[in-house]
């Protein structure tokens, strides 16, 4: 853990990642990794459906203007598919499925013939996990002992999620996905003076988009099969309206100057500004439970749950900020002993207020 006032808001280890940059010569690399079920454990789960992972990418760096402007890029891709965990009818019986083939088929037929709904896959299912990452960087050598770095870090990921247990069998329609997209653009200006002083100006803008779409567009349907467990189809209850958007702007400046032969003074400020929009509408499409397949066929649920909009909507939007100022001195007493001391103030603020719901006052 570094004891440096320029680093705040954490209590564990600090990891400093230094990226490659372009030089006056062109350099590049490429790689490809592959794995499938033949390179994994010989168990029924990994043989039931597709199991494959491909990861590949390349890097390239070099000059745009020799001694002045250099570039570096490193894209990466992943294609992955792996069997959804948990038993299903015909998976071998160890552990046993929550329902047998006849029961699963009957629910599939009821949903299709009575309600016109597709229950989705009832056998082996593959979860997919594709990824795309891109890192790009430009370096500019500027006058007055200055250097400008502009870099962008982009990532896009999708993760299919379906799991089954010995007490609950989920059809393919009950699957959902985690979709994430992040883009972080940063500009850093480094300046050095002849007296040993230096300054670093950091400006960054990050956008994060998280979304969790369900695999079906109709309400969740849960049927009790007795002592063996439950059958579940339809949109997963927590995915019926679930997303988070974040915009983060960061401004940091650190100035360091030597004072005499024994002191090195650093002063700076670090500021982050947040704009957040969060949607969580559990059960907004509804969730039915039925005591048996006969009840499902007759259209007679024993419970129904729905999340309602009571006037303020399902979207929570707010703005926040975190301001930091600090000063530090590194005092070199002698070659064997130095003292680092400083002071830092962190001020978090939330500028938005939750909307008033008049129904609360009427209760």
């Amino acid at each position: 853990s570094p004891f440096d006032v320029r680093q705040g808001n954490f209590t564990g280890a600090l990891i400093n990642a230094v990226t490659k940059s372009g030089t006056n010569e062109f350099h590049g690399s490429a790689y490809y990794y592959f794995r499938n079920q033949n390179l994994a454990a010989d168990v029924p789960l990994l043989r039931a459906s597709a199991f494959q992972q491909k990861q590949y990418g390349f890097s390239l760096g070099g000059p745009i203007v020799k001694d002045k402007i250099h570039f570096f890029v490193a894209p990466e891709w992943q294609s992955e598919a792996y069997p959804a965990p948990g038993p299903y009818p015909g998976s071998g019986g160890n552990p046993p499925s929550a329902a047998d083939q006849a029961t699963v088929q009957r629910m599939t037929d009821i949903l299709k013939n009575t309600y016109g709904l597709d229950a989705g896959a009832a056998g082996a299912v593959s979860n997919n996990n594709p990824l795309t990452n891109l890192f790009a960087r430009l370096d500019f050598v500027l006058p007055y002992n200055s250097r400008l770095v502009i870099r962008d870090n982009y990532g896009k990921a999708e993760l299919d999620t379906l799991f089954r247990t010995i007490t609950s069998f989920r059809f393919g329609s009950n699957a959902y996905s985690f979709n994430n997209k992040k883009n972080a653009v940063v500009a850093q200006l480094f300046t050095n003076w002849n007296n040993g002083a230096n300054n670093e100006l950091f400006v960054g803008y990050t956008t994060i988009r998280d979304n969790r779409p369900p695999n079906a567009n109709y309400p969740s349907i849960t049927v009790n099969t007795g002592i063996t467990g439950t059958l579940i189809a339809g949109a997963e209850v927590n995915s019926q309206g679930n997303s988070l958007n974040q915009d983060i702007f960061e401004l940091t400046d650190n100035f360091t100057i030597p004072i005499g032969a024994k002191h090195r003074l650093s002063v700076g400020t670090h500021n982050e500004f947040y704009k957040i929009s969060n949607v969580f509408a559990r059960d907004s499409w509804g969730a039915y439970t039925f005591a048996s397949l006969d009840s499902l066929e007759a259209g007679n649920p024993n419970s129904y749950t729905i999340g309602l909009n009571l006037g303020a909507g399902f979207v929570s939007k707010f703005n926040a900020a975190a301001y930091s100022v600090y000063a530090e001195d590194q005092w070199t007493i002698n070659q064997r002993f130095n003292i680092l001391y400083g002071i830092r103030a962190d001020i978090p603020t939330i500028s938005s207020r939750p909307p008033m719901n008049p129904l609360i006052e009427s209760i």
Side-chain angles (χ1 to χ4, degrees), residues 39-62:
L39 300 172
D42 187 8
V43 295
L45 175 64
L46 298 182
R47 300 295 186 269
S49 59
F51 176 66
Q52 180 175 279
Q53 184 182 52
K54 298 178 182 178
Q55 186 177 2
Y56 49 95
F58 69 90
S59 66
L60 180 64

Side-chain angles (χ1 to χ4, degrees), residues 179 188 254 350 356:
N179 296 340
Q188 291 175 281
N254 294 315
I350 298 179
M356 174 61 68

Side-chain angles (χ1 to χ4, degrees), residues 238-318:
N238 292 304
S239 305
Q240 299 177 15
N242 193 333
S243 64
L244 175 62
N245 294 339
Q246 302 177 70
D247 296 330
I248 306 168
F249 176 75
E250 179 179 348
L251 177 63
T252 300
D253 190 75
N254 294 315
F255 176 72
T256 301
I257 184 171
I259 301 177
K262 294 184 178 292
H263 295 273
R264 190 170 183 83
L265 178 66
S266 297
V267 295
T269 179
H270 173 84
N271 308 282
E272 294 185 5
F273 305 89
Y274 306 92
K275 183 179 180 182
I276 298 174
S277 175
N278 186 26
V279 177
F280 183 59
R282 176 186 167 94
D283 291 324
S284 58
W285 297 358
Y288 292 89
T289 61
F290 294 85
S292 65
L293 286 174
D294 291 338
S295 298
L296 174 65
E297 192 168 21
N300 184 24
N302 60 352
S303 70
Y304 175 66
T305 304
I306 188 169
L308 297 177
N309 174 11
L310 298 180
F314 290 115
V315 183
S316 175
K317 298 182 178 181
F318 62 95

